[in-house]
Amino acid sequence: MAIQLDQTLAPTKVAAPQQFDIDHIAPIKESFENLLEDSSQLVVVDLSRTEFIDSSGIGAIIYLFKRLKSQQRVLQLHGVHGQPKRILTMLRVDRAIPFVGGEVAA
């Protein structure tokens, strides 16, 4: 008897760029669109390498969050630190999208 594993329980992860800004947004937006086609219930955006985020990066995260929420799916942000953490916290993004994982050592 074969055991069937439910792959939708495993998180789908995508790494954000080091500079999550208008100049580097195109590839990550394409990745986000692909995530919306995926069937996993949990999506994790890894910000542990991200040193800078601007309104374009924040907008992309909010867009992904809203689209996933409409599909009854969950988004988490991993490794948020430094400038991105200060901006996302100031904008209260952490109240809607959980931050997971520890901070990266400076």
Side-chain angles (χ1 to χ4, degrees):
M1 179 176 159
I3 297 175
Q4 297 277 331
L5 296 177
D6 185 354
Q7 296 299 322
T8 63
L9 298 178
T12 300
K13 299 177 185 175
V14 63
Q18 187 175 8
Q19 301 293 316
F20 201 171
D21 59 13
I22 188 72
D23 295 328
H24 301 92
I25 199 77
I28 195 75
K29 284 181 89 172
E30 186 174 318
S31 295
F32 284 3
E33 286 297 327
N34 292 335
L35 287 174
L36 295 169
E37 309 276 325
D38 190 274
S39 63
S40 102
Q41 284 300 108
L42 175 60
V43 174
V44 178
V45 175
D46 184 358
L47 291 165
S48 61
R49 292 181 352 156
T50 304
E51 296 177 5
F52 176 79
I53 193 168
D54 71 1
S55 60
S56 301
I58 295 165
I61 290 171
I62 299 302
Y63 170 80
L64 179 62
F65 169 72
K66 287 182 176 184
R67 295 283 306 273
L68 289 171
K69 187 172 181 174
S70 73
Q71 298 174 357
Q72 286 85 42
R73 296 168 65 194
V74 177
L75 175 65
Q76 294 178 344
L77 302 179
H78 177 266
V80 184
H81 67 282
Q83 185 265 0
K85 184 173 184 175
R86 287 190 302 275
I87 297 293
L88 293 168
T89 303
M90 180 181 70
L91 295 173
R92 299 182 180 174
V93 171
D94 58 326
R95 292 188 182 190
I97 307 170
F99 292 178
V100 296
E103 286 199 28
V104 177

